[in-house]
Amino acid sequence: MWEETTMFGGVDTSAPDSDRVSAMRAIISDVVDDIDDSGDLNNKKKFMLHVAWHEGAQLRQRVQQPPGPTRPGRSFFQMEKLRPIEAYEWAETNGWIPRLLQFSGLSAAELQTAIDHLRNHPGSTWPMNSIIEDRLISDQYDVFSTYLSRIALKRINDEIGPSNQDHAEYWAKWWKRVFNSEQERVEKIATFKAEADAVDLI
């Protein structure tokens, strides 16, 4: 249970594929078991791994490449600035703030200030000296980023289908959301599905 965890830990991006996947699976499993209490939990865990594997360049990158104002994704889940705000608000509604406090290493006042810093910064770019951004790109806070990502997804009132094709389409609709064209959307869904199939074999 989350209350018994006393260290943060994270995924070693230089480790072999099997080690990276094993570490991320363990983190995701703990998070989903903690805050999900209905539906197919194993399917939700698989979906979260598929998102992290795809968005995080096979769990090798916590910063969207190439980095810069127009590439604002952070963590293995490639959260943009709005996602932590949404997750924080949903966590307040559902009593999950203690999880975010424990795994961010922040006090309630510090976390509130960090979220307000994001709220008050215009546009989609990360503000300078963002504590949240610092946490999302640190190898010590993968549990925190996974909680934020899972909570952000739990805001969505739409079940995740069981197949990897379902996962790819759900990701495109609810996580990626914006594509330059329908052709790009179709291609990205196909890539996501192929990568999901591949990581399932590791």
Side-chain angles (χ1 to χ4, degrees), residues 55 80-83 86 152 155-156 168-180 184-185:
E55 294 279 6
E80 298 181 5
K81 190 193 75 171
L82 180 61
R83 295 285 193 181
E86 293 175 339
R155 295 176 65 255
I156 300 165
E169 293 175 1
Y170 193 98
W171 162 81
K173 181 177 182 181
W174 295 114
W175 197 251
K176 172 66 174 172
R177 296 191 293 198
V178 177
F179 298 89
N180 293 323
E184 182 191 44
R185 189 187 75 85

Side-chain angles (χ1 to χ4, degrees), residues 89-137:
E89 292 170 351
W90 199 238
E92 281 187 310
T93 299
N94 290 277
W96 296 319
I97 292 296
R99 276 74 160 176
L100 300 184
L101 297 179
Q102 179 173 3
F103 294 108
S104 68
L106 301 172
S107 69
E110 288 169 336
L111 181 58
Q112 178 71 68
T113 298
I115 292 295
D116 287 343
H117 188 204
L118 299 184
R119 287 189 178 118
N120 296 330
H121 184 72
S124 61
T125 61
W126 292 90
M128 294 291 290
N129 302 316
S130 167
I131 294 173
I132 301 299
E133 182 185 17
D134 287 346
R135 293 296 193 267
L136 295 183
I137 64 176

Side-chain angles (χ1 to χ4, degrees), residues 15-198:
D17 287 358
S18 60
D19 291 351
R20 299 197 311 280
V21 170
S22 178
M24 198 66 205
R25 277 196 179 114
I27 291 170
I28 289 169
S29 183
D30 285 348
V31 170
V32 172
D33 284 343
D34 180 25
I35 64 174
D36 283 271
D37 56 9
S38 63
D40 186 342
L41 299 193
N42 286 332
N43 186 50
K44 292 173 182 179
K45 293 173 187 178
K46 283 183 66 177
F47 174 72
M48 292 293 289
L49 178 63
H50 292 161
V51 174
W53 184 253
H54 173 76
E55 294 279 6
Q58 292 75 58
L59 300 174
R60 292 190 179 95
Q61 296 287 347
R62 295 181 181 87
V63 176
Q64 191 171 9
Q65 298 298 310
T70 61
R71 309 283 288 181
R74 299 294 184 265
S75 86
F76 290 134
F77 297 94
Q78 295 297 288
M79 282 184 284
E80 298 181 5
K81 190 193 75 171
L82 180 61
R83 295 285 193 181
I85 299 171
E86 293 175 339
Y88 180 85
E89 292 170 351
W90 199 238
E92 281 187 310
T93 299
N94 290 277
W96 296 319
I97 292 296
R99 276 74 160 176
L100 300 184
L101 297 179
Q102 179 173 3
F103 294 108
S104 68
L106 301 172
S107 69
E110 288 169 336
L111 181 58
Q112 178 71 68
T113 298
I115 292 295
D116 287 343
H117 188 204
L118 299 184
R119 287 189 178 118
N120 296 330
H121 184 72
S124 61
T125 61
W126 292 90
M128 294 291 290
N129 302 316
S130 167
I131 294 173
I132 301 299
E133 182 185 17
D134 287 346
R135 293 296 193 267
L136 295 183
I137 64 176
S138 168
D139 62 2
Q140 294 300 304
Y141 295 96
D142 289 336
V143 178
F144 174 63
S145 69
T146 301
Y147 266 108
L148 281 179
S149 300
R150 183 67 203 130
I151 292 170
L153 281 162
K154 281 174 69 63
R155 295 176 65 255
I156 300 165
N157 186 25
D158 188 12
E159 287 296 317
I160 304 168
S163 73
N164 286 356
Q165 182 66 31
D166 293 330
H167 288 191
E169 293 175 1
Y170 193 98
W171 162 81
K173 181 177 182 181
W174 295 114
W175 197 251
K176 172 66 174 172
R177 296 191 293 198
V178 177
F179 298 89
N180 293 323
S181 66
E182 176 61 17
Q183 180 180 352
E184 182 191 44
R185 189 187 75 85
V186 170
E187 291 173 352
K188 294 288 189 182
I189 287 174
T191 297
F192 185 104
K193 198 268 185 183
E195 291 181 355
D197 290 342

